[in-house]
């Protein structure tokens, strides 16, 4: 197991180095950073001095080594737009994005698994057909349209929920949370459903397909022949074996939720990292763009590593194959 983890860690480091090279290339080819730091009428001598102070005259390999070293320490330079360290800006916005991603993932997993199991066990019922129709709507409609429709229905028409913002938050150290206020919970509902609906439909359809496949296997027939209860067969045997591919999809979708929360945060003006990235793109704020790219890559790599480890916990056959490979 230790050798398996070390191999995965080495692969993760390789991926992060490749993404870091791409992020570094953004600095090289997205325009001259000096133009973003000084006024248009700044003299050439002052521009040259700034280039030398930033190390832009050094060889490319030296610049990349310096950039990678700073990135490992969490230093991504200063934002051109906000004139603040990028790490500080990301730390301020990270709690909002992570709380939104957590609620969206919880909604997608809970609703997706329950609806998938129900539609598999009662596949000919009216409720199962209704669930299938909802899944088609969730897959077909784009995220921004779902958000606008929810705002129109629950905010504009009914006036039940806020249409933008994060609500009241409570600061606990450097972390700000909306979980401790009523307005914070209300503000989370619509963006969480919007962000998690597509992932929910994927999980629901996957659980349904896997559940139907598992229910046709020989060991399920043997379990029925042994006289086990229906509840034990469905949830103790069938659902447990269905969760192996669900873990992969759920893990990757969690990374996707964090990475692609940009649209949802823009629609609801959610003050997270996605909205910060959109503002950076609009103002060609390369340090924020590069740092966001590296952060998303780190999240995906970490989630993939955790999913690989969960595989070996859920499926005993994988533990045996890992031992043989070691």
């Amino acid at each position: 197991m230790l050798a398996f983890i070390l191999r995965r860690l080495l692969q993760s480091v390789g991926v992060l180095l490749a993404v870091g090279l791409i992020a570094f290339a953004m600095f090289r080819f997205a325009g001259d950073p000096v133009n973003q730091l000084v006024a248009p009428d700044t003299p050439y001598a002052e521009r040259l001095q700034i280039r030398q102070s930033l190390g832009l005259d050094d060889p490319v390999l030296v610049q990349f080594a310096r950039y990678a070293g700073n990135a490992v320490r969490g230093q991504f330079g200063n934002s051109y737009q906000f004139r603040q360290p990028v790490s500080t800006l990301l730390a301020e916005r990270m709690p909002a994005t992570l709380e939104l991603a957590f609620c969206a993932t919880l909604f997608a997993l809970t609703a997706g698994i329950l609806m998938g199991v129900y539609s598999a066990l009662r596949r000919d019922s009216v409720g199962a057909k209704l669930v299938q129709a909802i899944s088609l709507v969730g897959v077909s409609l784009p995220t921004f349209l779902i958000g606008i429709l929810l705002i129109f229905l629950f905010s504009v028409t009914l006036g039940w929920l806020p249409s933008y913002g994060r609500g009241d938050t409570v600061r606990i150290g450097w972390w700000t949370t909306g979980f401790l206020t009523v307005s914070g919970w209300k503000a989370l509902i619509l963006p969480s459903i919007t962000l998690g609906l597509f992932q929910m439909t994927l999980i629901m359809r996957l659980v349904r397909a896997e559940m139907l496949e598992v229910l046709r296997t020989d060991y399920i027939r043997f379990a029925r022949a042994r006289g086990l209860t229906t509840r034990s067969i469905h949830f103790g045997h069938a659902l447990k074996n269905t969760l192996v591919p669900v873990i992969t999809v759920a893990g990757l979708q969690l990374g996707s939720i964090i990475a692609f929360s940009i649209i949802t945060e823009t629609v609801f003006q959610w003050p997270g990292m996605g909205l910060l990235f959109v503002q950076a793109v609009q103002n060609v704020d390369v340090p924020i763009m590069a740092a966001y790219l590296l952060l998303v890559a780190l999240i995906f790599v970490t989630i993939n590593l955790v999913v690989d480890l969960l595989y070996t916990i859920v499926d005993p056959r994988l533990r045996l194959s890992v031992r043989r490979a070691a």
Side-chain angles (χ1 to χ4, degrees):
M1 180 64 72
L2 181 60
F4 172 76
I5 295 175
L6 290 176
R7 284 198 303 269
R8 289 292 185 269
L9 287 175
L10 289 176
Q11 293 172 359
S12 302
V13 171
V15 172
L16 290 176
L17 284 175
V19 175
L21 183 60
I22 296 174
F24 172 74
M26 294 176 64
F27 282 97
R28 298 287 301 176
F29 303 108
D32 191 351
V34 178
N35 294 332
Q36 304 290 333
L37 297 173
V38 300
D41 56 348
T42 302
Y44 176 76
E46 186 175 344
R47 289 173 179 266
L48 186 61
Q49 183 180 1
I50 293 176
R51 289 186 63 85
Q52 292 176 352
S53 64
L54 294 176
L56 298 177
D57 293 335
D58 296 334
V60 175
L61 291 179
V62 174
Q63 293 186 44
F64 177 69
R66 181 169 56 242
Y67 175 79
N70 291 334
V72 169
R73 296 193 298 270
Q75 300 175 2
F76 302 99
N78 292 327
S79 166
Y80 300 155
Q81 176 187 2
F82 298 98
R83 310 294 182 183
Q84 296 181 32
V86 173
S87 57
T88 302
L89 293 172
L90 291 177
E92 291 175 353
R93 303 294 187 100
M94 187 181 296
T97 297
L98 292 183
E99 286 189 358
L100 176 60
F102 172 78
C103 292
T105 304
L106 184 63
F107 163 72
L109 280 175
T110 304
I113 292 176
L114 291 177
M115 293 169 66
V117 171
Y118 175 80
S119 61
L121 299 179
R122 305 288 182 87
R123 56 182 178 273
D124 295 326
S125 64
V126 177
K129 294 179 181 178
L130 179 61
V131 167
Q132 289 287 87
I134 293 175
S135 69
L136 289 176
V137 173
V139 170
S140 304
L141 292 180
T143 301
F144 73 90
L145 182 57
I146 294 174
I148 292 173
L149 291 176
L150 290 178
I151 290 174
F152 177 75
L153 178 60
F154 293 101
S155 298
V156 178
T157 304
L158 299 176
W160 291 351
L161 298 171
S163 60
Y164 67 94
R166 197 183 174 194
D168 297 330
T169 59
V170 176
R171 180 173 292 275
I172 304 176
W174 66 273
W175 188 275
T176 57
T177 179
F179 288 159
L180 301 179
T181 63
V182 176
S183 62
W185 277 106
K186 287 183 177 181
L188 269 167
I189 294 175
L190 292 185
S192 297
I193 294 175
T194 302
L195 187 58
L197 187 60
F198 180 77
Q199 283 73 23
M200 182 207 74
T201 57
L202 290 180
I203 293 173
M204 187 273 288
R205 297 174 75 88
L206 177 62
V207 170
R208 180 181 184 274
E210 292 293 329
M211 195 80 172
L212 290 174
E213 185 68 26
V214 169
L215 289 174
R216 290 194 291 265
T217 56
D218 291 336
Y219 75 90
I220 294 296
R221 297 191 184 97
F222 180 70
R224 289 196 178 100
R226 290 174 56 196
L228 297 180
T229 62
T230 302
R231 182 184 298 272
S232 176
I233 293 173
H234 289 166
F235 298 99
H237 293 75
L239 182 59
K240 182 179 179 180
N241 288 276
T242 301
L243 292 180
V244 174
V246 174
I247 289 175
T248 304
V249 174
L252 295 178
Q253 291 305 315
L254 174 60
S256 300
I257 284 176
I258 297 175
F260 303 117
S261 62
I262 298 172
I263 299 175
T264 302
E265 291 188 7
T266 303
V267 171
F268 290 93
Q269 288 299 290
W270 189 263
M273 294 187 297
L275 184 60
L276 179 66
F277 178 78
V278 172
Q279 295 171 348
V281 172
Q282 294 172 347
N283 295 278
V284 198
D285 201 337
V286 180
I288 292 180
M289 295 163 59
Y292 183 81
L293 180 62
L294 279 173
L295 182 60
V296 168
L298 178 62
I299 291 172
F300 267 103
V301 165
T302 304
I303 289 175
N304 281 330
L305 180 61
V306 172
V307 167
D308 288 338
L309 296 178
L310 288 178
Y311 263 165
T312 61
I313 295 174
V314 173
D315 195 338
R317 296 169 299 179
L318 293 176
R319 287 200 297 269
L320 182 59
S321 63
V322 167
R323 290 170 185 168
R324 288 175 178 173

